[in-house]
Amino acid sequence: MVIPRKKRVIPDGLWIKCEACNGLIYRKAMVERSYVCPVCDYHFRIPARERIRITLDEGSFQELWPNMEPTDPLNFKDRISYSERVRMEQERTGLKDAVLVGTGAIHSRKIVFGVTDSNFIMGSMGSVVGEKISRAATTAQEMKVPVVIISGSGGGARMHEGMFSLMQMAKTSAAISRLKEAGGVFISVLTDPTMGGVMASYASLGDIILAEPGALIGFAGPRVIEQTIKKTLPEGFQTSEFLLEHGFLDMIVSRQDMRRELARLIDFMVGPPSGLPINIETTPTITTLGEEISEKNKNGIMED
Amino acid sequence: MEVQDNNSILQVAQRGLSNAGVIAPVTEVPSGEVPVNSLSPYDIVKLARHPLRPLTSDYVTLMLDDFIELHGDRLFGDDRSTITGFARIENRRFMLIGQQKGKNTKERLLCNFGMSNPEGYRKALQKMKLAERLGLPVVTLIDTPGANPDIGAEERGQAYAIAENILQMLRLTTPIVSIVIGEGGSGGALGIGVCDKFSIMEYAYCSVISPEGCAAILWKDAENAPEAASALKLTAKDLLEQGLVEEIIPEPKGGAHLNPPKSASTLKTFILKYLEELSTIPKDHLLSLRNSRYMKIGCYKEENFNGE
Ligand SMILES: [Zn+2]
């Protein structure tokens, strides 16, 4: 479990203040740009349903196991009980737990799709998230289609379900392991934030690992590290750009390019869908040296 | 100096602590009878962290008939928080992987208090792979507050190292036994804890997060660690009730630190029993049993579409 930073929910209102550049953005313009700041390219955190809307072909998502809900195996209580917390989070987010899983398509390429919502108990992984991610992998294996999971979890393994949560790390990894051994393909997309037990299990096990720009990604939370080493952390620490530089990502993909890039990757990994004309842009892309990724950090995308 | 009388157990434990000149006393010792099962979960956490509690290195000396320590991850370094090597008890050979906190200040610094870096997990994996090639089973002893939260660890992919270990341990074709001998600190413990037989010593604990960390987040104050320890259900007894451990390995009354040789001899018996049991299971079956066991873990409810 990781200590959260301040909540980053998109506020209501016609105008939105960008958390990164402080610019005022017309809400509609930002929604059209998939919640990316037109001024500084900051990628806002978005709810799971919005993620589905901007990632999958319109109307293609068929949710699987929509009725799965958490229980309270430890009878956990802090200042409020876990059951009460779940009820409140469900009411607030309209979700049963922090994950949505289903079948869908990206540019007509069929996939099994999963997304965690960093806004539901910090996107943490308890039994429901673990079970649904595992079933997603197993279903992809049965359907012989790739599985794409977009993770956003500041919470890692969920405290309120104790060791059951920790064991979801092994469970999801077991499902991914089976998928891979059966020849299946798993693309893991990391978004702001992906930390702790989620990052130390299935999210790290993608055949391909992508991240959105400027996302916080790591094992230990930045505050925990700061408290331990009693130093301020270097700028850009634990960002997507930091991970790319250290060899832990295949690529950083802007949210607006995500659909196209996923489709291109799927075509390379499992072949394009038969009978379908190539309906996406396929220009070779290569990093231009000198246009260093760290340049992006200076644009004020980083925070804290 | 095994203590029979329940009342004196806490006093001895407390004396152990003040002798070592560390942290707070185990607990307030009320007058009169104090049965062992009156220890609170947080008392047990403190016992698991007791500075005199036997460590992996003690069990190597007290329990093994032979041991050759093997170093290095072949990638970056040799993480002293993880001891690895060829081990033998009687005629049973195996690869021992044990987390190590250090016995004194100097050692503790070298071992980083048992908090492994990625190279610790990679060292463990490299030795497990060697064991697999040689057809040797693996025994892991878990004793870590958690994986090291540090800049270097993140730079070298702490999350990836743990995830890779989990994946590879699910696939390792030789038997794996994991025993929590002290602290089973979240992902740092699971990084060497995926196995066929998972057991825990009586006064050890295993948790998704440290009670202090949990208290800091949910109670907004680390001072609430005792409440968090209770809420997290992290004791050996809790884990047994949750069906997550095979069984509880008993300790001398009052804790392993009061009689390390006896603890070692009990631990030895259990390890030999597990190795014996696992040695007869065919490879394919072993892997499918191991995987299914993890695939089954979880508590959720799922209503039928028909509302059944
Ligand atoms: Zn902006």
Side-chain angles (χ1 to χ4, degrees):
Chain A
M1 200 73 195
V2 172
I3 295 179
R5 296 180 302 172
K6 59 179 189 254
K7 284 240 160 86
R8 264 164 227 292
V9 188
I10 301 168
D12 295 325
L14 203 57
W15 294 86
I16 299 166
K17 193 174 168 190
C18 173
E19 291 154 13
C21 69
N22 284 328
L24 272 183
I25 320 155
Y26 189 44
R27 168 183 281 276
K28 214 176 139 214
M30 205 194 60
V31 171
E32 275 162 17
R33 288 178 47 91
S34 306
Y35 304 89
V36 174
C37 173
V39 181
C40 73
D41 203 38
Y42 174 73
H43 286 50
F44 281 79
R45 293 183 186 179
I46 56 172
R49 298 234 178 251
E50 275 304 293
R51 178 68 69 175
I52 290 167
R53 190 183 63 79
I54 65 169
T55 311
L56 300 181
D57 295 352
E58 205 182 331
S60 71
F61 184 69
Q62 300 281 331
E63 192 180 346
L64 292 167
W65 318 296
N67 297 325
M68 198 187 294
E69 284 191 74
T71 60
D72 184 6
L74 306 187
N75 218 345
F76 191 98
K77 190 165 185 300
D78 47 89
R79 289 168 305 168
I80 60 167
S81 74
Y82 178 46
S83 322
E84 178 65 9
R85 189 180 294 271
V86 165
R87 203 190 50 76
M88 280 161 52
E89 293 285 283
Q90 288 179 334
E91 224 159 72
R92 195 170 59 79
T93 61
L95 299 168
K96 292 262 164 60
D97 202 318
V99 68
L100 291 177
V101 163
T103 56
I106 297 178
H107 287 299
S108 306
R109 287 139 183 92
K110 287 200 176 64
I111 57 165
V112 171
F113 183 76
V115 54
T116 63
D117 192 314
S118 64
N119 198 20
F120 189 104
I121 315 190
M122 290 156 63
S124 56
M125 174 162 68
S127 298
V128 172
V129 174
E131 177 68 18
K132 281 199 182 181
I133 296 288
S134 303
R135 285 193 198 177
T138 311
T139 305
Q141 187 183 329
E142 285 160 9
M143 291 175 64
K144 297 194 190 317
V145 298
V147 58
V148 176
I149 298 171
I150 302 190
S151 300
S153 168
R158 187 175 297 169
M159 294 177 283
H160 316 75
E161 293 180 31
M163 283 296 290
F164 290 108
S165 297
L166 192 75
M167 291 299 174
Q168 302 308 307
M169 293 169 66
K171 176 179 179 166
T172 53
S173 302
I176 296 296
S177 170
R178 285 180 175 186
L179 167 80
K180 285 181 166 183
E181 287 191 325
V185 162
F186 168 35
I187 301 177
S188 177
V189 181
L190 313 175
T191 68
D192 188 48
T194 307
M195 304 296 291
V198 167
M199 196 52 209
S201 63
Y202 76 86
S204 284
L205 297 174
D207 292 296
I208 294 289
I209 305 177
L210 311 178
E212 287 190 338
L216 178 78
I217 302 164
F219 180 69
R223 278 195 214 152
V224 174
I225 299 176
E226 274 186 345
Q227 283 162 13
T228 310
I229 65 173
K230 297 181 176 64
K231 269 188 252 173
T232 23
L233 297 169
E235 207 182 317
F237 180 66
Q238 292 183 315
T239 58
S240 310
E241 294 72 18
F242 170 94
L243 263 83
L244 185 73
E245 207 173 303
H246 286 90
F248 296 107
L249 296 178
D250 287 292
M251 32 191 311
I252 293 176
V253 177
S254 229
R255 191 174 291 166
Q256 288 137 299
D257 299 333
M258 192 60 80
R259 269 171 60 77
R260 188 191 66 224
E261 293 307 302
L262 286 171
R264 283 177 77 197
L265 284 165
I266 290 166
D267 285 0
F268 274 107
M269 296 171 86
V270 301
S274 57
L276 191 81
I278 293 180
N279 57 353
I280 48 169
E281 189 193 326
T282 61
T283 325
T285 42
I286 184 166
T287 313
T288 316
L289 296 179
E291 267 177 39
E292 287 303 326
I293 35 164
S294 52
E295 281 298 306
K296 283 200 172 168
N297 295 354
K298 292 176 194 155
N299 293 343
I301 299 170
M302 298 306 105
E303 63 308 312
D304 291 347
Chain B
M1 54 162 191
E2 203 204 337
V3 188
Q4 296 301 337
D5 166 52
N6 281 340
N7 185 34
S8 47
I9 287 163
L10 291 172
Q11 290 171 334
V12 174
Q14 187 165 12
R15 212 177 305 135
L17 279 172
S18 35
N19 286 348
V22 279
I23 47 179
V26 169
T27 185
E28 296 289 311
V29 185
S31 55
E33 284 293 302
V34 183
V36 174
N37 57 16
S38 77
L39 289 174
S40 74
Y42 199 55
D43 290 332
I44 290 174
V45 169
K46 286 178 181 171
L47 276 178
R49 292 171 179 168
H50 196 290
L52 299 178
R53 190 172 174 84
L55 306 175
T56 291
S57 59
D58 297 305
Y59 291 118
V60 166
T61 339
L62 294 169
M63 179 179 80
L64 301 180
D65 293 313
D66 198 6
F67 183 70
I68 302 178
E69 188 174 1
L70 302 170
H71 294 275
D73 70 344
R74 306 297 192 271
L75 286 166
F76 182 81
D78 182 41
D79 191 328
R80 306 310 293 267
S81 73
T82 308
I83 294 174
T84 58
F86 289 127
R88 183 172 62 78
I89 301 174
E90 294 162 11
N91 59 355
R92 287 263 172 220
R93 290 174 292 139
F94 54 93
M95 181 66 76
L96 180 82
I97 316 271
Q99 285 161 334
Q100 175 71 6
K101 290 178 167 176
K103 303 249 13 131
N104 49 47
T105 308
K106 191 183 153 208
E107 273 189 31
R108 285 186 189 115
L109 287 169
L110 285 170
C111 297
N112 196 31
F113 304 89
M115 297 185 292
S116 301
N117 279 311
E119 44 275 19
Y121 296 102
R122 289 173 183 141
K123 173 183 181 179
L125 183 58
Q126 201 263 339
K127 306 313 169 197
M128 287 190 250
K129 287 291 196 183
L130 172 63
E132 179 181 49
R133 208 175 77 67
L134 302 172
L136 295 175
V138 173
V139 175
T140 76
L141 302 180
I142 295 169
D143 191 12
T144 180
N148 193 21
D150 164 69
I151 294 179
E154 297 290 322
E155 284 174 337
R156 299 191 295 279
Q158 188 72 284
Y160 289 82
I162 292 172
E164 187 63 20
N165 274 28
I166 294 172
L167 181 83
Q168 295 304 333
M169 290 182 88
L170 286 160
R171 292 176 174 179
L172 204 81
T173 55
T174 49
I176 310 173
V177 172
S178 294
I179 294 162
V180 188
I181 58 167
E183 290 190 87
S186 66
L190 195 64
I192 63 160
V194 175
C195 59
D196 304 297
K197 294 275 182 192
F198 187 49
S199 284
I200 182 164
M201 294 188 72
E202 194 174 351
Y203 299 119
Y205 80 98
C206 200
S207 182
V208 66
I209 185 172
S210 72
E212 292 79 8
C214 179
I217 298 170
L218 294 180
W219 279 264
K220 314 287 175 204
D221 190 349
E223 292 290 307
N224 292 91
E227 286 96 310
S230 304
L232 285 164
K233 305 278 185 338
L234 44 64
T235 66
K237 212 167 140 253
D238 293 324
L239 264 65
L240 187 69
E241 276 168 22
Q242 293 160 24
L244 296 176
V245 293
E246 199 80 20
E247 57 196 333
I248 297 171
I249 300 176
E251 292 185 27
K253 270 193 186 155
H257 60 289
L258 296 179
N259 192 343
K262 192 177 177 201
S263 309
S265 112
T266 314
L267 184 60
K268 175 163 125 177
T269 316
F270 278 82
I271 289 175
L272 284 174
K273 182 180 80 169
Y274 295 144
L275 291 178
E276 174 66 34
E277 280 170 30
L278 292 170
S279 67
T280 56
I281 304 175
K283 211 193 277 182
D284 288 351
H285 194 47
L286 187 76
L287 285 185
S288 97
L289 279 178
R290 191 187 300 156
N291 276 267
S292 331
R293 202 160 59 81
Y294 287 104
M295 292 292 277
K296 269 187 254 160
I297 300 176
C299 302
Y300 53 86
K301 59 185 173 198
E302 193 174 18
E303 262 174 49
N304 226 312
F305 280 103
N306 311 324
E308 280 167 27

